[in-house]
Amino acid sequence: MYDLGLKEIIKALGIETEERVIDNIVYYSWNDLNMRVNSFLTCLELTGKIPLDFLTYMQKKYPDGTWKDYNNIDKKRAIDDIYKRDTDFKEVKRKCEEERKSIDTVYTEAKERLRRRVSKNKYLEEFHTYELNNAVLVLTELKDYYARISGKDESAETDYKTILNQVINNYLVDLKVTKVKNLYKDSNLDITKEEVMQNVEANRKKLEKGYIEFPFLAKDLIQPLLNKFDVAVNPFLRDDVELEKPADYLEKINLIASPSNDFDDKTSKDACKLKIESKDEYSKTIYASSGINSKYNVSRYFNEDGSSIFYSHKFVMYPIADDHGTYKDYGEVINFQYSGDSWEKPAIDLHYNISGGYVIINNGEQQEINTDTLLQICEILDKGTALANEITTANMAKQDSKKLIKK
């Protein structure tokens, strides 16, 4: 959940908000609410007066909704304006002095009077909801709730899935997916790992004549597998597969689109990132592109045994110096890392600089790439593609399209 998402939701819902700065934080004010994406960029934060009647209605309408798991929605936390007045510092102090009551007694009596009052005017002062689809659901239902209680529309019922689809589609425009998609339009996504490896073997002698041929011939040979990996991480780049509408696949995966500030190149102000996560939180794929210096296609998988697997295909166009003045690797690079969970399964780190034609294994010495290592890269790319597809395309493609996807 990012600020980009909140702005898109507001626009899609057509609600009128006013930017308000509170304690140097920008909020979007709407009725009795202040909305913002929290500082950790993890959830939509509502403060002000969130009607208890509305939250009770949501519990009944969506009893199995994951959105409620993060909030203790009950009458114990709800207050009203009278309770706020009764527990104001000055009022509590006055009662302690004039009526000779302890602070605990003042609060206890105020709470008891609150309990006896009807819930119509009660509210929560803070409410969080995580994930974009849940934020869209809550704000869409709130819009209808306000319309009903104001008498403008007693049967207001907006289709939140329509709003959600609109928000996600606007995300894709911001990510310039269509422009990047053109790079893959002629890709042969039906080619198999075995076919590519056979082609590598057929060119073994040519490859091993001299390393100078490796950056160019090797790149050409494994390009089909690189393309398959890229479109597995970001299925929006595919032309051959039709995806479901966002509101449908977001029931299976989490999707976050945002400006990206974690690129090595600090000048990449236009960087953006698309993250697709499995609901079990063990796996995620990330497509990110700055349009200036770096392009990343990354998949990471966290296993229940504590181990993890990391695949990355990235382009770093210019050398970048770190804080110590040491220039980091640049060019087109494949990274594979496995963090083992025991001595029987040791960690593996493979770094292949396609542009430079060399490989570094387990942080050792730089080595010239050879045919056997290239075949190993094919195995790695194929496995990474299969894992990425399990998270992305398998959950996002329409049923008929899934039959077109070949390993």
Side-chain angles (χ1 to χ4, degrees):
M1 184 69 204
Y2 284 79
D3 191 45
L4 172 64
L6 180 53
K7 290 179 181 177
E8 291 292 353
I9 296 171
I10 290 171
K11 183 169 75 173
L13 284 172
I15 58 179
E16 294 185 8
T17 62
E18 179 183 346
E19 288 193 18
R20 179 182 298 176
V21 179
I22 304 173
D23 296 330
N24 295 320
I25 298 173
V26 177
Y27 289 84
Y28 297 92
S29 296
W30 177 41
N31 292 320
D32 292 327
L33 301 176
N34 294 313
M35 305 181 291
R36 70 155 184 156
V37 176
N38 72 343
S39 56
F40 296 104
L41 304 178
T42 56
C43 70
L44 172 66
E45 179 183 289
L46 302 179
T47 55
K49 297 181 180 181
I50 303 97
L52 179 62
D53 281 353
F54 166 74
L55 297 174
T56 303
Y57 162 81
M58 290 292 283
Q59 281 184 310
K60 291 178 180 177
K61 187 172 181 179
Y62 305 99
D64 299 322
T66 57
W67 62 275
K68 73 180 182 63
D69 294 340
Y70 304 98
N71 299 276
N72 178 23
I73 304 172
D74 57 38
K75 295 181 180 179
K76 295 177 183 177
R77 290 182 60 224
I79 63 172
D80 59 16
D81 289 342
I82 298 174
Y83 179 81
K84 285 273 287 186
R85 184 195 65 200
D86 287 345
T87 56
D88 178 76
F89 174 76
K90 291 182 179 179
E91 180 63 13
V92 172
K93 183 180 179 182
R94 183 190 68 78
K95 288 188 176 182
C96 288
E97 293 175 350
E98 295 181 6
E99 300 178 19
R100 297 183 178 278
K101 294 178 179 179
S102 68
I103 293 178
D104 287 343
T105 300
V106 173
Y107 275 96
T108 300
E109 290 178 351
K111 199 73 174 179
E112 178 59 26
R113 290 192 298 272
L114 171 68
R115 186 188 65 80
R116 294 197 297 265
R117 289 194 291 272
V118 296
S119 63
K120 180 180 178 181
N121 297 318
K122 293 179 182 178
Y123 54 84
L124 267 64
E125 292 185 292
E126 188 172 327
F127 179 85
H128 294 175
T129 185
Y130 296 72
E131 300 178 13
L132 176 68
N133 47 326
N134 291 329
V136 173
L137 174 61
V138 169
L139 293 184
T140 301
E141 289 283 4
L142 259 175
K143 177 186 177 183
D144 291 348
Y145 171 81
Y146 287 133
R148 289 194 296 270
I149 64 172
S150 67
K152 293 180 180 178
D153 189 345
E154 294 183 1
S155 60
E157 191 169 344
T158 305
D159 179 13
Y160 106 90
K161 287 190 174 183
T162 299
I163 303 298
L164 183 57
N165 290 336
Q166 187 175 335
V167 170
I168 295 297
N169 290 333
N170 288 340
Y171 267 178
L172 300 181
V173 172
D174 292 329
L175 286 167
K176 303 177 178 63
V177 167
T178 302
K179 182 178 180 181
V180 181
K181 187 176 182 178
N182 292 332
L183 300 175
Y184 298 88
K185 64 180 180 180
D186 298 323
S187 299
N188 178 12
L189 299 177
D190 289 333
I191 196 167
T192 65
K193 172 196 70 176
E194 288 73 22
E195 289 173 318
V196 173
M197 292 177 74
Q198 288 171 9
N199 203 12
V200 172
E201 282 287 6
N203 284 275
R204 180 181 283 272
K205 289 184 178 179
K206 186 183 291 186
L207 285 166
E208 293 179 351
K209 281 183 179 179
Y211 84 94
I212 194 67
E213 296 186 38
F214 260 92
F216 311 105
L217 180 55
K219 171 65 166 32
D220 184 57
L221 290 171
I222 66 171
Q223 186 65 54
L225 294 183
L226 287 170
N227 291 345
K228 287 184 72 172
F229 175 76
D230 289 351
V231 300
V233 171
N234 181 9
F236 297 109
L237 299 175
R238 299 189 74 121
D239 253 338
D240 61 326
V241 169
E242 188 176 2
L243 301 181
E244 294 179 343
K245 291 184 178 180
D248 294 320
Y249 60 66
L250 284 178
E251 295 178 357
K252 305 168 189 174
I253 54 103
N254 300 323
L255 184 146
I256 299 172
S258 70
S260 177
N261 58 3
D262 57 1
F263 285 91
D264 292 331
D265 182 3
K266 296 178 181 178
T267 65
S268 297
K269 296 179 180 179
D270 296 329
C272 53
K273 179 164 63 177
L274 178 72
K275 181 161 67 173
I276 302 172
E277 297 179 331
S278 60
K279 289 288 186 181
D280 61 15
E281 298 182 356
Y282 283 115
S283 308
K284 66 181 177 182
T285 68
I286 301 173
Y287 161 79
S289 175
S290 69
I292 299 177
N293 193 32
S294 304
K295 295 182 185 298
Y296 290 71
N297 292 284
V298 178
S299 287
R300 183 180 290 278
Y301 309 91
F302 302 94
N303 303 313
E304 294 185 34
D305 62 9
S307 63
S308 67
I309 309 173
F310 173 87
Y311 299 87
S312 169
H313 174 214
K314 66 180 180 179
F315 300 84
V316 182
M317 308 309 176
Y318 307 105
I320 304 164
D322 60 20
D323 295 336
H324 303 289
T326 302
Y327 281 89
K328 297 183 179 181
D329 203 10
Y330 67 99
E332 185 174 4
V333 178
I334 296 172
N335 276 121
F336 168 73
Q337 297 169 14
Y338 169 76
S339 66
D341 62 313
S342 65
W343 289 109
E344 289 77 23
K345 296 180 179 179
I348 301 172
D349 189 315
L350 186 147
H351 176 99
Y352 172 32
N353 189 305
I354 300 172
S355 305
Y358 63 84
V359 64
I360 299 173
I361 300 175
N362 293 337
N363 297 313
E365 294 293 324
Q366 182 174 305
Q367 306 170 31
E368 293 178 4
I369 191 77
N370 59 41
T371 311
D372 290 332
T373 307
L374 202 61
L375 291 171
Q376 184 183 7
I377 297 293
C378 290
E379 294 279 5
I380 287 171
L381 284 172
D382 185 66
K383 181 62 174 176
T385 299
L387 287 173
N389 273 326
E390 287 180 12
I391 302 169
T392 59
T393 318
N395 288 314
M396 300 169 70
K398 289 188 174 179
Q399 196 59 42
D400 290 343
S401 289
K402 290 177 183 177
K403 299 174 184 176
L404 302 174
I405 303 166
K406 296 184 180 180
K407 196 176 176 184

